[in-house]
Amino acid sequence: MTDSNTTIEQLKRQVKKFVTERNWQQFHTPKSLAMAIAVEAAELMEHFLWCENQAKEVFANKREQIEDEVADIAILLINFCQANDVDLSRAIECKIKKIDKKYPVEKCYGKADKYTDL
Amino acid sequence: MTDSNTTIEQLKRQVKKFVTERNWQQFHTPKSLAMAIAVEAAELMEHFLWCENQAKEVFANKREQIEDEVADIAILLINFCQANDVDLSRAIECKIKKIDKKYPVEKCYGKADKYTDL
Amino acid sequence: MTDSNTTIEQLKRQVKKFVTERNWQQFHTPKSLAMAIAVEAAELMEHFLWCENQAKEVFANKREQIEDEVADIAILLINFCQANDVDLSRAIECKIKKIDKKYPVEKCYGKADKYTDL
Amino acid sequence: MTDSNTTIEQLKRQVKKFVTERNWQQFHTPKSLAMAIAVEAAELMEHFLWCENQAKEVFANKREQIEDEVADIAILLINFCQANDVDLSRAIECKIKKIDKKYPVEKCYGKADKYTDL
């Protein structure tokens, strides 16, 4: 599986298989999944915590762990979508349309201070 | 775009277009993106904060906002992957293999206490 | 030291001693400390992640670890105050005055839905 | 109230008054309070999100808001302690003793990479 040939649906199916085999879908309330996503997001962030500008070295030294954290967040997000009938591709498309309007290129070009909130 | 016909690559391309049009890729250090993901994860979680068992009602009343938060997390995660050459599908596949071993069905079936960490 | 006889100033002094002995105050930018607080907050939260109503048992079994997480957050918050000249007692007093007005007793009594944001 | 003349006990009393007047202590499960602390920690962090080295300017421009976020975290942490019989001063003192041993001065002096976890 690579990003060029994998649909979100296929990822959903893989994640679902893992979860239903263990009968864990019962724990997948929106509240618990949102908490779990936040916990994993903090774990990803922790890798970059006290390093100021050496993020590239951090990556070189712990790529596998970092990719695991990224996958954790993605897997939980997919679970959240699945448990609550969210079509992720459609949600992303809608959101990009909104921020495309909210952050007009001519106003925001190259400015971090416009980028307050995705 | 729907989950059944959208690949991660296509999502990556859409997100990249939005970012490069604004020349924002310069802000996409791993540290800042990880922080941003954590901020958005907390915003998703906040919707379920003081409700105990009414998560379904919360969803019914604010589906659009919640889907927006989900999309925010996904967009930032995709940015993180793009900025750091992470193939998300492959990362998810690898991680599922690991947790498949780490949480054997016969030990973990229906048990939340085994589910300490995805 | 107990809560009844310890001032915030005394806690600040203790924390400062630990930090300056290691020459770590140089890492205490507001950004890094805010990240560190968020990481510790997620660690505290993780203890209650997949348990629904057994929080009391969780506490009984891991009080020491949980108190350590609480202390971590407090220590980092005190560092944040110290590094940025924040008088914590005064900040708390000001904030309580604000929320006292924002959440009038007669409107908010016993209602979680009014409690959207402390 | 200032840090030099305010004990944790006094802060606990103030917070308790606010909460019990609204009959909100019923919502103060460890799970919900831990979530709330994480949400507020993310809000504090958000102020420093896309700024790299201008944290000082951020502070100058939004000191009041930032102090409010700091107070939010402190108030919720105090609620957490109160709801679960945690003596915060004692917890901090214990934790400092532990990290004092875990991070010996001679090994950690001026090194961020030793400072992985407070």
Side-chain angles (χ1 to χ4, degrees), chain D residues 23-36:
Chain D
N23 194 20
W24 281 358
Q25 64 282 20
Q26 61 183 305
F27 309 122
H28 287 187
T29 63
K31 184 170 184 160
S32 290
L33 285 171
M35 278 175 79

Side-chain angles (χ1 to χ4, degrees), chain A residues 31-32 35 38 45-46 49-53 112-113 115-118, chain D residues 31-32 35 38 45-46 49-53 112-113 115-118:
Chain A
K31 185 171 183 160
S32 289
M35 279 174 79
M45 187 165 70
E46 199 175 0
L49 184 46
W50 298 109
C51 67
E52 214 46 60
N53 301 304
D113 65 315
Y115 192 171
T116 45
D117 156 54
L118 205 107
Chain D
K31 184 170 184 160
S32 290
M35 278 175 79
M45 187 167 69
E46 198 174 1
L49 183 48
W50 298 110
C51 67
E52 214 44 60
N53 301 306
D113 64 314
Y115 193 170
T116 45
D117 155 55
L118 203 104

Side-chain angles (χ1 to χ4, degrees), chain D residues 3 8-9 19 22 25 46 58 61-62 68 70 74 90 97 103 105-106 117:
Chain D
D3 286 349
I8 297 284
E9 193 57 42
V19 171
R22 282 154 190 80
Q25 64 282 20
E46 198 174 1
V58 172
N61 294 330
K62 350 193 216 174
D68 270 2
V70 168
R90 213 187 58 89
K97 274 185 195 154
Y103 300 109
V105 171
E106 57 278 15
D117 155 55

